[in-house]
Amino acid sequence: MTEGTKTISGNVNGVPTTPGNYYMVMFTNDSYTEVSNRVQFQVSSGTLGLEEAKSTEKNVILYPNPTKPGEPTFIKSDYPIEKIELVSAAGELLYESKNIHNQRFSLVNENLPKGVYFVKVHARKLFTLKLIIQ
C-alpha cells in the first residue's frame, strides 16, 4: 500500500463508484452527531478493487495493521505528533506518550492480548485509528 492510497476490496456497499471527490465521516445512531474527523477521498475509477482510491487530505498511517503481539506498530504522520494514546475497545487508556514532536513513532504491542484497540494520534488535529492485534 502506497502512502495516501488504499485499495478497496470485498463488500463495498455504500462506497461511491463514480469518479470524483467525496467525504467520509462516522455518525452516532441518531445520524446527526459526527464521531470522527471528516476524511476527503477521491475515486479515480469506477472499478473498485482494481484501481486505488487516493486520499486528498494529509493524514496518519498505522502499519502493519493487523499486527501480532510483541511486534512493533509504526505510526507515520504528515504533521508533527504531539501525543499518542492507546485505548482499549472498552475505552480504558492503556498507554500514553506526550511531547513527541516527531512525524514518526514506534509502538510496541508487547503485553497486549489479541483484540481491537484504538490509537489516538494528536497532531495538527486528532486522528483515531483502529489497531487489530491477531
Side-chain angles (χ1 to χ4, degrees):
M1 180 169 67
T2 309
E3 179 180 337
T5 63
K6 172 76 174 145
T7 300
I8 302 172
S9 60
N11 183 354
V12 291
N13 292 336
V15 176
T17 58
T18 305
N21 293 318
Y22 299 90
Y23 286 95
M24 182 171 23
V25 66
M26 291 190 303
F27 290 88
T28 58
N29 288 339
D30 67 10
S31 298
Y32 296 106
T33 307
E34 292 185 17
V35 294
S36 71
N37 293 322
R38 289 176 185 245
V39 176
Q40 182 181 7
F41 66 98
Q42 179 182 47
V43 174
S44 55
S45 170
T47 311
L48 294 174
L50 298 177
E51 296 289 326
E52 294 182 330
K54 186 168 81 174
S55 173
T56 57
E57 177 180 290
K58 293 185 180 272
N59 56 19
V60 174
I61 297 172
L62 181 70
Y63 63 96
N65 193 14
T67 189
K68 295 178 181 169
E71 292 185 2
T73 298
F74 301 99
I75 300 166
K76 182 179 175 188
S77 172
D78 289 338
Y79 307 110
I81 300 168
E82 298 298 321
K83 179 169 76 169
I84 300 282
E85 296 173 298
L86 179 66
V87 180
S88 72
E92 178 186 357
L93 180 64
L94 304 173
Y95 173 82
E96 180 179 54
S97 183
K98 296 179 181 178
N99 301 316
I100 298 165
H101 304 295
N102 199 330
Q103 290 177 270
R104 295 175 188 259
F105 188 81
S106 177
L107 181 66
V108 179
N109 313 316
E110 202 165 300
N111 295 315
L112 294 176
K114 294 178 182 181
V116 176
Y117 300 87
F118 296 96
V119 179
K120 293 185 177 184
V121 180
H122 299 260
R124 181 173 161 253
K125 59 183 182 178
L126 173 64
F127 296 90
T128 302
L129 307 149
K130 182 168 44 171
L131 172 64
I132 300 171
I133 299 181
Q134 295 182 331

